[in-house]
Amino acid sequence: MKRSALFAAVCLPALVAAAGTSAKTLVYCSEGSPENFYPAINTTGTSFDANSQIYSRLVDFERGTTNVVPGLAEKWEIADDGKAYIFHLRRGVKWHSTNRNFKPTRDFNADDVIFAIERQWKEDHPFFKVTSQNHTYFNDMGMPKLLKSVEKIDDYAIKMSLNQPEAPFLSDFAMEYAGIQSKEYADAMLKAGTPEKIDQEPIGTGPFYLVQYQKDAVIRYKAFPEFWGGKAKIDDLVFSITPDASVRWAKVQKGECHLMPYPTPADLDAIRKDPNVQVLEQPGLNIGYLAYNTQKKPFDDLRVRKAFNMAINKKAIIDAVYLSTGIAAKNPIPPSMWSYNDDVKDDPFDPEGAKKLLAEAGFPNGMETDIWAMPVQRPYNPNARRIAELMQADLAKIGVKAEIKSFEWGEYRKRLQAGEHQTGMLGWTGDNGDPDNFLHTLLGCDAAKPGGGNTAKWCDKAFDDLVTKAKVTSDQKERTELYKKAQVVFKEQAPWFTIAHAVQLKPVRKEVVDFKLSPFGRHTFYGVDIKQ
């Protein structure tokens, strides 16, 4: 397929230099390239950040909080039994109209919402397999079983009926995967024989529209003048794709970028001393972990998993890699989240005890395994390669020979979700402020299938019953007790080595006005301004 004019290559240094001359251009030093422009098949913050500028959702999170507020739905009603929602949609919402291949002839309406949901839900839908059939979030949250029907009442009202109540349902629909695409655009591209264009050359109803994308170099957006919430305060938004954290910091120092994610902990002292930069920080809703593939020998044996947990020196990893930005993790949810069970005791660092457990499991002379190390930096994992090396050295002391493996990020995730690994590092930043988003999405049986987010491939009935019951319970006190019990089961069964929770840190130049940290680690720029 020929690259369209929309995706014309640009010279990054020239673009950033030109951007610096405009009072209303904000340049964000992003850490990587998006996988595509269809949020429903992505699970990485990199892709969500690139997508969330373009699309709107039925409901949104208020900037800087976990509070659900109206989006494309201006109001909603919930049935007394919690099994039906009626969403009343905004009128007069415009679609972006800069796409070379398509010009919208109508405003956003109920057909677009139904398209966005059915595309992920119905296997016979013409767009179900376009770009990817792996709708990870939709599946891992159990949406195919939860949704009974989605009906159009009229052009500006839809009714969603559920098979059972779902406590975090509204929060679920404020997440990035629920971004609404144009059915009219999809129909036109299907007719033209190029259905994939809707995910490569996107149009949305969001505050910015896409102008240019060059993989591994730049994404450029412009403010959408007809955005339903009012035009953004900045006119141009540039993602300067810069994978190296120290290079990102150098660009922020020079004023080539206005802000950056994921600073290297070792750079923090210098960053804090720069008079032109402020460091925004708050506890992160995140977890970094090493998942054991419980469906593969020898990690189907609890004794082997416990031996690994006891062999790895967690404190040494945090001291060496996270420095002042991490706290030891013992549970799969962070301590700042409601229902955190502080009574759970972490596995002790006990290499001798680990050796005994390995011998009991049939490995008196040690064994061989792999450690998959993420190729990208995240707040929950500032340097996966270094962590893997420290784990490798610790495991060698109990007779385990571990080979470190890594792949390009998209390939890494795909292979991990397919279960090719024996052990693999990954992590999670919460999407909606609900424990369900960690416990069911990352560790439930629905997510243990090939392509799911449960990379331990762990399906434990006792755990799954607890987190599934919590989903359908509206009383938060009762849900808290269920989640606390689930954390006990998790620790007993050890599908992960829990590494750390990280503080979210964001170096931002002082001319940036009103950028708010997202509890979910997202980077959105509607509402942000630049001083003259």
Side-chain angles (χ1 to χ4, degrees):
M1 186 184 84
K2 286 184 182 174
R3 187 177 287 273
S4 79
L6 179 71
F7 286 74
V10 292
C11 172
L12 180 60
L15 177 70
V16 175
T21 64
S22 166
K24 293 293 181 182
T25 296
L26 186 140
V27 183
Y28 167 57
C29 258
S30 65
E31 77 288 356
S33 296
E35 295 150 282
N36 50 65
F37 288 93
Y38 176 37
I41 56 171
N42 299 320
T43 62
T44 70
T46 307
S47 294
F48 287 152
D49 287 345
N51 280 273
S52 64
Q53 321 304 326
I54 296 168
Y55 297 107
S56 308
R57 291 149 294 282
L58 282 177
V59 290
D60 276 311
F61 293 112
E62 179 185 22
R63 282 204 311 140
T65 77
T66 60
N67 301 330
V68 175
V69 295
L72 290 173
E74 56 187 358
K75 58 183 180 178
W76 50 86
E77 296 143 25
I78 307 172
D80 289 343
D81 64 1
K83 289 164 67 173
Y85 289 71
I86 294 175
F87 292 95
H88 298 276
L89 309 179
R90 290 183 191 277
R91 295 171 184 264
V93 173
K94 305 298 179 191
W95 290 99
H96 303 162
S97 56
T98 54
N99 191 295
R100 190 172 66 101
N101 295 300
F102 172 76
K103 290 286 180 278
T105 66
R106 64 163 176 81
D107 293 347
F108 155 80
N109 68 26
D111 293 337
D112 303 309
V113 178
I114 291 169
F115 168 77
I117 294 169
E118 291 192 341
R119 170 176 190 188
Q120 303 177 60
W121 182 23
K122 305 285 176 83
E123 292 188 21
D124 60 351
H125 192 281
F127 276 81
F128 184 80
K129 292 182 180 176
V130 170
T131 306
S132 171
Q133 65 181 16
N134 188 21
H135 302 101
T136 304
Y137 269 94
F138 194 82
N139 294 331
D140 289 1
M141 293 191 300
M143 284 289 176
K145 287 192 291 189
L146 176 66
L147 288 174
K148 185 176 183 181
S149 64
V150 180
E151 304 162 87
K152 175 179 172 177
I153 297 171
D154 59 42
D155 278 351
Y156 294 97
I158 60 161
K159 180 180 181 182
M160 294 191 199
S161 299
L162 314 183
N163 286 308
Q164 61 192 34
E166 170 84 351
F169 189 70
L170 280 175
S171 296
D172 289 347
F173 269 89
M175 289 160 54
E176 305 294 343
Y177 82 94
I180 306 296
Q181 293 181 305
S182 163
K183 182 179 189 296
E184 187 189 21
Y185 181 27
D187 289 345
M189 292 303 98
L190 190 64
K191 190 175 177 184
T194 55
E196 70 284 350
K197 279 191 187 290
I198 75 162
D199 301 334
Q200 295 168 351
E201 302 175 16
I203 69 164
T205 59
F208 298 94
Y209 62 86
L210 186 65
V211 177
Q212 293 168 316
Y213 171 47
Q214 184 182 356
K215 193 173 189 296
D216 300 330
V218 71
I219 315 174
R220 185 167 183 175
Y221 309 85
K222 273 195 175 295
F224 181 39
E226 296 177 282
F227 176 55
W228 56 267
K231 182 183 172 294
K233 293 172 183 174
I234 53 173
D235 301 303
D236 293 279
L237 173 62
V238 178
F239 279 31
S240 173
I241 298 168
T242 313
D244 187 285
S246 294
V247 177
R248 288 199 293 276
W249 166 232
K251 287 183 175 182
V252 171
Q253 268 184 303
K254 294 175 196 166
E256 291 177 11
C257 292
H258 292 104
L259 72 159
M260 62 172 281
Y262 319 134
T264 298
D267 286 339
L268 277 172
D269 280 348
I271 292 171
R272 292 187 195 282
K273 288 172 185 167
D274 191 304
N276 299 310
V277 172
Q278 58 178 325
V279 180
L280 305 180
E281 60 183 285
Q282 67 182 25
L285 276 178
N286 59 46
I287 172 77
Y289 58 86
L290 177 77
Y292 304 124
N293 190 337
T294 61
Q295 291 182 8
K296 274 189 178 176
K297 288 188 179 302
F299 295 101
D300 58 341
D301 189 325
L302 173 60
R303 292 170 297 186
V304 174
R305 303 196 297 268
K306 282 287 186 183
F308 271 51
N309 278 10
M310 290 160 67
I312 299 169
N313 188 339
K314 187 177 297 187
K315 184 179 184 304
I317 288 172
I318 292 169
D319 288 348
V321 179
Y322 292 82
L323 305 178
S324 61
T325 69
I327 58 166
K330 61 182 181 179
N331 289 322
I333 62 173
S336 57
M337 180 166 270
W338 62 270
S339 82
Y340 181 80
N341 189 346
D342 202 28
D343 293 334
V344 166
K345 298 283 184 282
D346 206 0
D347 294 304
F349 173 53
D350 180 4
E352 288 307 311
K355 278 185 193 172
K356 286 178 189 166
L357 273 179
L358 269 193
E360 280 177 33
F363 300 98
N365 303 313
M367 52 174 277
E368 293 186 3
T369 189
D370 59 33
I371 300 174
W372 286 32
M374 291 161 46
V376 296
Q377 188 186 28
R378 287 288 181 272
Y380 54 71
N381 193 327
N383 188 335
R385 168 64 66 165
R386 180 72 185 120
I387 292 174
E389 288 166 355
L390 292 166
M391 288 178 169
Q392 183 184 49
D394 286 341
L395 292 169
K397 291 170 189 167
I398 65 161
V400 174
K401 185 179 177 185
E403 180 191 358
I404 298 171
K405 293 185 176 179
S406 196
F407 304 90
E408 179 274 327
W409 183 220
E411 189 71 12
Y412 181 90
R413 281 184 45 251
K414 189 170 137 191
R415 287 173 178 246
L416 211 60
Q417 288 178 337
E420 291 183 24
H421 61 297
Q422 283 188 292
T423 81
M425 261 184 262
L426 210 58
W428 190 255
T429 297
D431 297 293
N432 64 11
D434 196 289
D436 173 76
N437 181 243
F438 285 76
L439 298 173
H440 186 266
T441 304
L442 299 181
L443 292 157
C445 291
D446 281 332
K449 297 163 188 164
N454 182 344
T455 50
K457 304 301 171 192
W458 181 64
C459 178
D460 182 278
K461 187 176 187 307
F463 179 91
D464 202 64
D465 286 351
L466 289 164
V467 297
T468 304
K469 187 179 178 187
K471 281 171 82 68
V472 303
T473 304
S474 56
D475 182 80
Q476 189 161 317
K477 190 177 175 187
E478 195 178 331
R479 291 185 78 205
T480 294
E481 288 310 307
L482 292 165
Y483 286 136
K484 283 188 170 181
K485 288 176 184 172
Q487 288 163 76
V488 171
V489 176
F490 165 86
K491 206 66 197 177
E492 287 170 352
Q493 294 301 311
W496 295 351
F497 175 75
T498 49
I499 307 171
H501 309 290
V503 175
Q504 184 186 177
L505 296 158
K506 212 77 60 186
V508 179
R509 288 190 63 85
K510 288 184 176 173
E511 57 266 34
V512 175
V513 179
D514 205 25
F515 175 81
K516 291 188 186 298
L517 287 180
S518 157
F520 317 116
R522 296 283 69 78
H523 301 91
T524 53
F525 299 99
Y526 182 70
V528 180
D529 206 348
I530 297 278
K531 283 181 197 164
Q532 293 285 351

